[in-house]
Amino acid sequence: MGMKASAHIVWDWNGTLFHDNDAIIVATNAAFAELGLAPITLEQYRSLYCVPVPKFYERLLGRLPTDAEWELMDGVFHRHYTAHRERCGLTEGAAELLAGWRSAGHSQSLLSMYGHAELVPLVRGFGIEAHFLRVEGRTGPSGGSKAQHMVRHLAALTGVVEPARTVVIGDAADDAIAAREAGARAVLYTGGSHSRDSLAEVGVPVVDTLAEAVEEAQRIAA
């Protein structure tokens, strides 16, 4: 693990390794209720969701939320998400794929826009932390793009990981944008926050299972 010439995967967490769709919808609808917005289904969420998150709310409000509205909705979302995430688990087969990639002599890391202080114990609780060279969550304000975080994440692995042999696996268009910004490639997974149609617009491989994502990453980084 960690050889310079090895293929490397940067995994996303929410909606990718962590199957938290139910918690996301409950928390989103709780946040919507604060502004009198009607609840939405998972399918509607996947067709509308985008990053930065205030733009997602703009699609429903017809305008960007004010700073006060954003602060209120963001707080409500995270409170309800935290309450419901306990019912969520890893995506089917995720633990086996992580172990298999590591056993094959490749490296991997985890970069999430979920808060770092909450992410690390959650990953540790699933017993998968040892598979990663680095586990990194968001330390600044929520709602922004992952691009600058991805650049810093790979820079921290300089000398161990080569961006040209790195593949980001995530469930959002922003994961592919972040990969491109950092000089890496991306594979997008349809089981999370975006619809297949919205993911296909980004111009990177789109797959329906994490097993397919790993196979594609192996091919891309070969």
Side-chain angles (χ1 to χ4, degrees):
M1 209 174 155
M3 294 175 63
K4 185 175 181 181
S6 175
H8 182 80
I9 291 175
V10 179
W11 291 94
D12 174 55
W13 180 245
N14 303 95
T16 304
L17 289 176
F18 189 47
H19 188 65
D20 60 349
N21 290 341
D22 290 344
I24 290 286
I25 291 301
V26 168
T28 296
N29 284 330
F32 283 0
E34 293 295 325
L35 295 189
L37 292 170
I40 62 174
T41 65
L42 177 60
E43 290 71 25
Q44 290 171 317
Y45 179 91
R46 284 174 165 163
S47 68
L48 293 169
Y49 182 73
C50 63
V51 174
V53 179
K55 286 286 187 181
F56 168 53
Y57 291 136
E58 181 182 25
R59 292 181 173 184
L60 294 136
L61 283 170
R63 59 174 175 79
L64 281 170
T66 65
D67 290 345
E69 288 172 336
W70 164 251
E71 184 175 348
L72 172 65
M73 295 173 77
D74 191 49
V76 170
F77 175 90
H78 284 96
R79 186 166 67 251
H80 282 266
Y81 177 85
T82 299
H84 285 83
R85 77 179 184 203
E86 302 300 328
R87 306 174 190 176
C88 303
L90 295 178
T91 300
E92 184 177 357
E96 293 78 9
L97 289 168
L98 292 172
W101 184 259
R102 183 186 183 191
S103 295
H106 305 307
S107 61
Q108 54 200 330
S109 58
L110 194 159
L111 176 63
S112 174
M113 295 301 284
Y114 191 52
H116 184 78
E118 296 173 288
L119 174 69
V120 172
L122 190 55
V123 172
R124 190 170 294 153
F126 283 113
I128 59 174
E129 185 181 20
H131 294 311
F132 304 110
L133 294 180
R134 185 177 181 87
V135 174
E136 187 174 6
R138 173 184 50 78
T139 55
S142 63
S145 172
K146 187 182 276 188
Q148 61 181 332
H149 301 276
M150 185 66 70
V151 171
R152 288 199 299 266
H153 183 79
L154 291 185
L157 296 172
T158 297
V160 180
V161 170
E162 297 178 7
R165 297 207 64 202
T166 296
V167 179
V168 176
I169 296 179
D171 69 318
D174 190 55
D175 289 304
I177 294 169
R180 189 178 305 134
E181 188 73 17
R185 309 282 288 280
V187 177
L188 298 179
Y189 163 62
T190 62
S193 61
H194 280 43
S195 67
R196 171 174 277 277
D197 287 345
S198 64
L199 294 178
E201 293 175 0
V202 189
V204 303
V206 177
V207 298
D208 296 319
T209 69
L210 292 187
E212 292 175 287
V214 171
E215 290 175 6
E216 190 64 21
Q218 176 71 73
R219 185 189 67 79
I220 291 173

